[in-house]
Amino acid sequence: MQNILVIARREFKSYFDSPVAYIVLTFFLIITGYFFTSNLFLANQADLRTLWGVVPLLFVFFIPAISMKLLAEEKKSGTIELLYTYPIRDSEIVVGKYLAALGLLGVLLLVTLVYAFTVGSLGNMDTGQAVAGYVGLLLMAAAYLAVGVFASSVTDNQIIAFIFALFISFVLFIADKILFFLPSGVAGIFEYIGIEYHFQNVARGVIDTRNLLYFGSVIFFGLLLASHSLSRRRGD
Amino acid sequence: MKKTWSISNISTLLIVAAILVVVNLIGMKLFARADLTEQSIYTLSDASRRVVGDLTDRLTVKAYFTKDLPAPYNANSRYVRDILEDYRAYGNGNFYYEFVDPSDEEQLEKEAQQYRVQPAQVNVMEKDALQLKRVYMGLVLIYGAKHETIPLIQSVENFEYEMTSTIKRLVAEKLPKVGFLTGYGSPDLQQDLRTVAGGLAKHFQVVPISTSSGAELIPDDVNVLCIVQPEEPFDDWTKFVVDQFIMRGGSVGWFVNKTQGDASSSQATAMQLDLDDWTRRYGFTVANNLVLDANGAMINIQRQQGMFLMTNLVRYPAFPEIANYNDKSPISKGLSGGTLFFPSSIDTVTPFEGSVEITPLMNSTEYTIVQVGQFDIAPDTRRDRTQFTGGQKMFAASLQGRFPSYFKGKSVPVPVDSMAMTPTMNILTESAASRMVVVGDGNFLQGQYMQQGGPNLVFLLNAIDWLSQDTDLLAIRSRDAAVRPLDPNISDDTKQRVKLANLIGPPVLVLLVGFVRWNRRRNRKEGDAMNRSALLIGVLLALVAVYWFVNKSEPVAQTNVPLIIADSASVSYVKIATVADTIELRKEGDGWKVGGLKPYPANTQNIGRALQKLEEMTRKAIVTDKAERYSDFEVDDAKGVLVVVASGGKEQSVVLGKPSPSMQTSYARIADEDEVWEVGGNPASAFRRPKADWRDKTLTSLPMDSIQKVTLTFPDEQIVLTKMDTSWSGASNGKPFPAAKSQIERVTRMLSKINTIEFADTLTDATFANPVCTVLAQMSDGSSTELKLVKRDDKQYFVRKSGALSDFVIYNSTADVLMKRPGDLVDKPKPAG
């Protein structure tokens, strides 16, 4: 546990020491800000539906960009060998790095609270629904990120890690949107795989154990795969 | 040594994956939810819990749902399952449900159809082809020997409402009660209201309610009280009883005419019901008028022509056929073709206290005549459509919310029954959630006018259904439909600032943090110039992007604001220009003048109404800004109405076009702007009037009590009527005769207010050389008015008023009231009835 926190803190700090994090955050916020502001007075509703609509797709592109370097870079530069010399388990490395990136996404979501306060001050917002929405966003980010960490663990090339993560994330994103084209027997399975189905269920204001279980499963399995693929390379 | 994916590794992963799948499958069956929404939208409401918790016997729900429904219906089926599970949880072991798929077995399919659960057709993907599939998405509730069906659940939005109301209906042992107030000249329940009572008896217990004996209030088990066409004024006790019934959450249906009409004798009289102060408290009054609508029902009239009795089919404007039902209200949705009989219009006033929501249900057409005090309901009066200038009137409305009590701050009145004691009780001052339906006609419920199965009966049953509805259930429904709009009072400036702050604020915040951190690092470790310039480039790019977005997002045209700012009270000049005519109206002192060579007095009412419509014209949406499309909306020079209004030295011009297909809105354009707007209301019709309509048709307007002396000069006789204090004396050619005050007051009442039908501008002095009668009214202040009457034809008279700019035309009936001979002025026994 101690090891995990040390790694997480070091990695989290390193995010803010490189320009990448700032550029990613800035562009993310410009895009959400644009959609949020251009729709706010048109829809004239005191809710954050615009945000819930646009963020799931944005995450598909932005989270792989945040996660791609986590393990791939260490492998490429060889610093991972250095880590191996410490008495640290592979899973601790994976979880530590994962938590660091999740911290960055947490900061990102904290900044977007500006939108929630704006809506709350302009109208009678359903606060409970907004809270659930943010819980949903964090869970969804965590799930996407677990996929990204796994992608970063299988290669030492950041670009490949990015594209691989983007691909899996996109599959999760699109799964529940293509049901119409699927035979009815498998439609239910695809819907369950679809990440936005679970997110929207939470974002409407209901925290349901079924959705929590889904997100938990994706996170757990993604991280499990990542640490397995890391241990495969130990002693390489 | 290089480690690769070992067999044991992969099998471990596969086993873990399988465990996860099974855990998820279990989780789908065993779950819990926390509803964080403020109104617990996704949780069973208290009302539903109570209803299902009060079950005393087994209630079974059989849900016929086809398995593997395509999206989005699969979500519905899951939602239905969740909700049914909630019902079961609160059902104290009396609520059971099961899901069956009727497509599995023919037997089940038959069973579903026996319960009237009908299959629906949906598109599904099967064997690589899009196919129409019969699916079932309905359920049946079985309670003892009774069952009720919800045949198709297409949206889940009011599923809980439907479920709970159905359960309530199944469980109810007694039918809800509908009371009819008796007395006050109201029609008899067994006789005149037989059809209505019969129609209601299927769903309600119909009971008479009397307030004339004892001091009891209306029993609590009465849900709805109907007040049908009273003809006598209400006493305070009855008002009190009804008021407190409303305060306790009772619903009231008002079916009230203010004018009593008789088609066979073509007579109409105004009724004094003393209702207005009372009902205004609740948000409405039935206007003291009779509304004629150009869209009258067809009736047969018989006429003697020479030797023959002719039967003609004519439109009778006093029986308006309802053309405009509100399709949004559950009461009037989908109705057409009902008829009202001698209706009065409804005026609504939102009360200051309480919270009352008013919804119109029936409106007249735009072409009406509003008669007040004087009525002409003869079926053979010919009227041109252009004479129907009253504008659209409301005939029926529904009101709901918390009504303030009329007896707030007053004491309990004395009961009508002189034997009864005045009860001591607390007066409730604000109602629970109550409902009202108001119709400006009570005739349509009665015998000869009410047709079995006709739209009038459907309207009435809908209204009673709506009135009797449980407030519990309403809470569920309103919860489903809760919308949360932003504060409407946000100024455009604030909007722009909010947008800018949300657009730029968050990115700038992030960049600022970055800059601070980089500065600190630089101090620690000099010379990291490359990274710094990378950050600066990032800042630059971000700001360029922000600029691009800010520049791109155009200001959205603001809607729901008035198209033009015209405070009707301060407007001093109006010009109305069409291709055919240009009319100028000028305000002079308190009144208006119609411009032209002779500045005739103008019809202030018409001007006021038109200006008010102009003022109320709000922007809904821009429909086009292309000049070539103006003619489509009739906002061009050829078909539009150009209206120029001047107030406070500022002139505004607007071109009014045609009404939109919904008739609720129309098109208009500010004269020197490009955009054509869809605007609320249709003010063009109020401006598109012939010149004569803008002139004042009032012939006299004198205070009746100040008339001191009336001289009627016939060619053969001069009658002088003189007022002494409060009594009148009469003399014919100088000889006194016993004139009756009541008869003379009919003359003076008419003299005090004469409305004419039209103008006669081209008459010469010769026409009035030998008047049939000259009427001279002398007032207590010394002024006098002289009217010369000349016969025009057998229906109308020409009138010349001393000092007036033009001559007028009046009806025989009006002239006859004025031209009285001594024989008419003596006391006569009142004709019976």
Side-chain angles (χ1 to χ4, degrees), chain B residues 308-342:
Chain B
F308 304 100
L309 195 63
M310 306 281 287
T311 303
N312 287 16
L313 202 58
V314 296
R315 275 201 185 280
Y316 189 39
F319 290 178
E321 239 174 55
I322 303 305
N324 300 310
Y325 285 100
N326 181 356
D327 245 0
K328 299 221 168 65
S329 163
I331 303 173
S332 47
K333 198 170 159 185
L335 284 177
S336 66
T339 309
L340 296 183
F341 307 91
F342 305 115

Coordinates of all heavy atoms in Angstrom, one line a residue, chain B residues 308-342:
Chain B
F308 N -97.8 31.2 -47.2 CA -97.1 30.0 -46.9 C -96.3 30.1 -45.6 O -95.8 31.2 -45.3 CB -96.1 29.6 -48.0 CG -96.8 29.4 -49.3 CD1 -96.8 30.5 -50.3 CD2 -97.6 28.3 -49.6 CE1 -97.5 30.4 -51.4 CE2 -98.2 28.2 -50.8 CZ -98.2 29.2 -51.7
L309 N -96.1 29.0 -44.9 CA -95.2 28.9 -43.8 C -94.0 28.3 -44.3 O -93.9 27.1 -44.7 CB -95.9 28.0 -42.7 CG -95.2 28.1 -41.3 CD1 -95.3 29.5 -40.8 CD2 -95.9 27.1 -40.4
M310 N -92.9 29.1 -44.4 CA -91.6 28.5 -45.0 C -90.7 28.1 -43.8 O -90.6 28.7 -42.8 CB -90.9 29.6 -45.7 CG -91.7 30.3 -46.8 SD -91.9 29.3 -48.3 CE -90.2 29.5 -48.9
T311 N -90.0 27.0 -44.1 CA -89.0 26.5 -43.1 C -87.6 26.7 -43.8 O -87.4 26.2 -44.9 CB -89.2 25.0 -42.8 OG1 -90.5 24.9 -42.3 CG2 -88.2 24.6 -41.8
N312 N -86.8 27.5 -43.1 CA -85.5 27.7 -43.6 C -84.4 27.2 -42.6 O -84.6 27.2 -41.4 CB -85.2 29.2 -43.7 CG -86.0 29.8 -44.9 OD1 -86.9 29.2 -45.4 ND2 -85.6 31.0 -45.2
L313 N -83.3 26.8 -43.2 CA -82.2 26.3 -42.4 C -81.2 27.5 -42.3 O -80.7 28.0 -43.4 CB -81.5 25.1 -43.1 CG -80.7 24.2 -42.2 CD1 -81.5 23.6 -41.1 CD2 -80.1 23.1 -43.1
V314 N -80.9 28.0 -41.2 CA -80.0 29.2 -41.1 C -79.0 28.9 -40.0 O -79.2 28.1 -39.1 CB -80.8 30.5 -40.7 CG1 -81.8 30.9 -41.8 CG2 -81.5 30.3 -39.3
R315 N -77.9 29.6 -40.1 CA -76.9 29.6 -39.0 C -77.4 30.5 -37.9 O -77.7 31.7 -38.1 CB -75.6 30.2 -39.6 CG -74.8 29.1 -40.2 CD -73.3 29.4 -40.3 NE -72.6 28.4 -41.1 CZ -72.3 27.2 -40.6 NH1 -72.5 26.9 -39.3 NH2 -71.7 26.3 -41.4
Y316 N -77.3 30.0 -36.7 CA -77.8 30.8 -35.6 C -76.7 31.1 -34.7 O -76.2 30.3 -33.9 CB -78.9 29.9 -34.8 CG -79.6 30.7 -33.8 CD1 -80.0 32.1 -34.0 CD2 -80.0 30.2 -32.6 CE1 -80.7 32.8 -33.1 CE2 -80.6 30.9 -31.6 CZ -81.0 32.2 -31.9 OH -81.7 32.9 -30.9
P317 N -76.2 32.4 -34.7 CA -75.0 32.7 -34.0 C -75.1 32.6 -32.5 O -74.1 32.5 -31.8 CB -74.7 34.1 -34.4 CG -75.9 34.6 -35.0 CD -76.7 33.5 -35.5
A318 N -76.3 32.6 -31.9 CA -76.5 32.4 -30.5 C -76.2 31.0 -30.0 O -76.1 30.7 -28.8 CB -77.9 32.9 -30.0
F319 N -76.1 30.1 -31.0 CA -75.7 28.7 -30.7 C -74.4 28.4 -31.3 O -74.3 27.7 -32.3 CB -76.7 27.7 -31.3 CG -78.1 27.7 -30.6 CD1 -79.1 26.8 -31.1 CD2 -78.4 28.5 -29.6 CE1 -80.3 26.8 -30.6 CE2 -79.7 28.4 -29.0 CZ -80.7 27.6 -29.5
P320 N -73.3 28.9 -30.7 CA -72.0 28.8 -31.3 C -71.5 27.3 -31.4 O -71.6 26.6 -30.4 CB -71.0 29.6 -30.4 CG -71.9 30.4 -29.6 CD -73.2 29.7 -29.4
E321 N -71.1 26.9 -32.6 CA -70.4 25.6 -32.7 C -69.0 25.8 -32.3 O -68.3 26.8 -32.7 CB -70.5 25.1 -34.1 CG -71.2 23.8 -34.2 CD -71.5 23.4 -35.7 OE1 -70.4 23.3 -36.4 OE2 -72.6 23.1 -36.0
I322 N -68.4 24.9 -31.5 CA -67.1 25.2 -30.9 C -66.1 24.7 -31.9 O -66.0 23.5 -32.3 CB -66.9 24.4 -29.6 CG1 -68.0 24.9 -28.6 CG2 -65.5 24.7 -29.0 CD1 -68.1 26.3 -28.4
A323 N -65.3 25.7 -32.4 CA -64.3 25.4 -33.4 C -62.9 25.2 -32.8 O -62.1 24.5 -33.3 CB -64.2 26.5 -34.4
N324 N -62.7 25.8 -31.6 CA -61.4 25.7 -31.0 C -61.4 25.0 -29.7 O -61.7 25.7 -28.7 CB -60.8 27.1 -30.9 CG -60.7 27.8 -32.2 OD1 -60.1 27.3 -33.1 ND2 -61.2 29.0 -32.3
Y325 N -61.1 23.8 -29.7 CA -60.8 23.0 -28.4 C -59.4 23.0 -28.1 O -58.6 22.9 -29.1 CB -61.3 21.6 -28.5 CG -62.8 21.4 -28.5 CD1 -63.5 21.2 -29.7 CD2 -63.5 21.4 -27.3 CE1 -64.9 21.0 -29.7 CE2 -64.9 21.2 -27.3 CZ -65.6 21.0 -28.4 OH -66.9 20.8 -28.4
N326 N -59.0 23.1 -26.9 CA -57.6 23.0 -26.5 C -57.2 21.5 -26.5 O -57.6 20.7 -25.8 CB -57.4 23.6 -25.1 CG -56.0 23.5 -24.6 OD1 -55.1 23.0 -25.3 ND2 -55.7 24.1 -23.5
D327 N -56.3 21.2 -27.5 CA -55.8 19.8 -27.6 C -54.9 19.4 -26.6 O -54.5 18.2 -26.5 CB -55.2 19.7 -29.0 CG -56.1 18.7 -29.9 OD1 -57.1 18.3 -29.4 OD2 -55.7 18.5 -31.1
K328 N -54.4 20.3 -25.8 CA -53.4 19.9 -24.8 C -54.0 19.5 -23.5 O -53.3 18.9 -22.7 CB -52.4 21.1 -24.5 CG -51.7 21.5 -25.8 CD -50.2 21.9 -25.5 CE -49.4 22.0 -26.8 NZ -49.9 23.2 -27.6
S329 N -55.2 19.8 -23.3 CA -55.9 19.5 -22.0 C -56.5 18.1 -22.2 O -57.1 17.8 -23.2 CB -56.9 20.5 -21.6 OG -57.8 19.9 -20.7
P330 N -56.4 17.2 -21.1 CA -57.0 15.9 -21.2 C -58.6 16.0 -21.3 O -59.2 15.1 -21.7 CB -56.6 15.3 -19.9 CG -56.2 16.4 -19.0 CD -55.7 17.4 -19.9
I331 N -59.1 17.2 -20.9 CA -60.6 17.3 -21.0 C -61.1 17.5 -22.4 O -62.1 16.9 -22.8 CB -61.0 18.5 -20.1 CG1 -60.5 18.3 -18.7 CG2 -62.5 18.7 -20.2 CD1 -60.7 19.5 -17.8
S332 N -60.4 18.4 -23.2 CA -60.9 18.7 -24.5 C -60.1 18.1 -25.6 O -60.4 18.4 -26.8 CB -60.9 20.3 -24.6 OG -59.6 20.8 -24.2
K333 N -59.1 17.3 -25.3 CA -58.3 16.7 -26.3 C -59.1 15.9 -27.3 O -60.0 15.1 -26.9 CB -57.3 15.8 -25.6 CG -56.1 15.4 -26.4 CD -55.2 14.7 -25.5 CE -54.2 13.8 -26.3 NZ -53.4 13.1 -25.5
G334 N -58.9 16.2 -28.6 CA -59.5 15.3 -29.6 C -61.0 15.6 -29.9 O -61.6 14.9 -30.6
L335 N -61.6 16.6 -29.2 CA -63.0 16.9 -29.4 C -63.2 17.8 -30.6 O -62.4 18.5 -31.0 CB -63.6 17.5 -28.2 CG -63.8 16.6 -27.0 CD1 -64.3 17.5 -25.8 CD2 -64.8 15.6 -27.3
S336 N -64.4 17.7 -31.2 CA -64.8 18.6 -32.2 C -66.3 18.6 -32.3 O -67.0 17.6 -32.0 CB -64.2 18.3 -33.6 OG -64.8 17.1 -34.0
G337 N -66.9 19.8 -32.7 CA -68.3 19.8 -33.1 C -69.3 20.0 -32.0 O -70.5 19.8 -32.2
G338 N -68.9 20.3 -30.8 CA -69.9 20.6 -29.7 C -70.5 21.9 -29.9 O -70.1 22.8 -30.7
T339 N -71.6 22.1 -29.3 CA -72.4 23.4 -29.5 C -72.8 23.9 -28.1 O -73.1 23.2 -27.2 CB -73.7 23.2 -30.3 OG1 -73.3 22.5 -31.5 CG2 -74.3 24.5 -30.6
L340 N -72.7 25.3 -27.9 CA -73.2 25.9 -26.7 C -74.4 26.7 -27.1 O -74.6 27.0 -28.2 CB -72.1 26.8 -26.1 CG -70.8 26.1 -25.6 CD1 -69.9 27.1 -25.0 CD2 -71.2 25.0 -24.7
F341 N -75.2 27.0 -26.0 CA -76.5 27.6 -26.3 C -76.6 28.9 -25.4 O -76.6 28.8 -24.2 CB -77.6 26.6 -26.0 CG -77.4 25.3 -26.7 CD1 -76.7 24.3 -26.1 CD2 -77.9 25.2 -28.0 CE1 -76.5 23.1 -26.8 CE2 -77.7 24.0 -28.7 CZ -77.0 22.9 -28.1
F342 N -76.7 30.0 -26.1 CA -76.7 31.3 -25.4 C -75.5 31.5 -24.4 O -75.7 31.8 -23.3 CB -78.0 31.6 -24.7 CG -79.2 31.4 -25.6 CD1 -80.1 30.4 -25.4 CD2 -79.4 32.2 -26.7 CE1 -81.2 30.2 -26.2 CE2 -80.5 32.1 -27.5 CZ -81.4 31.0 -27.3

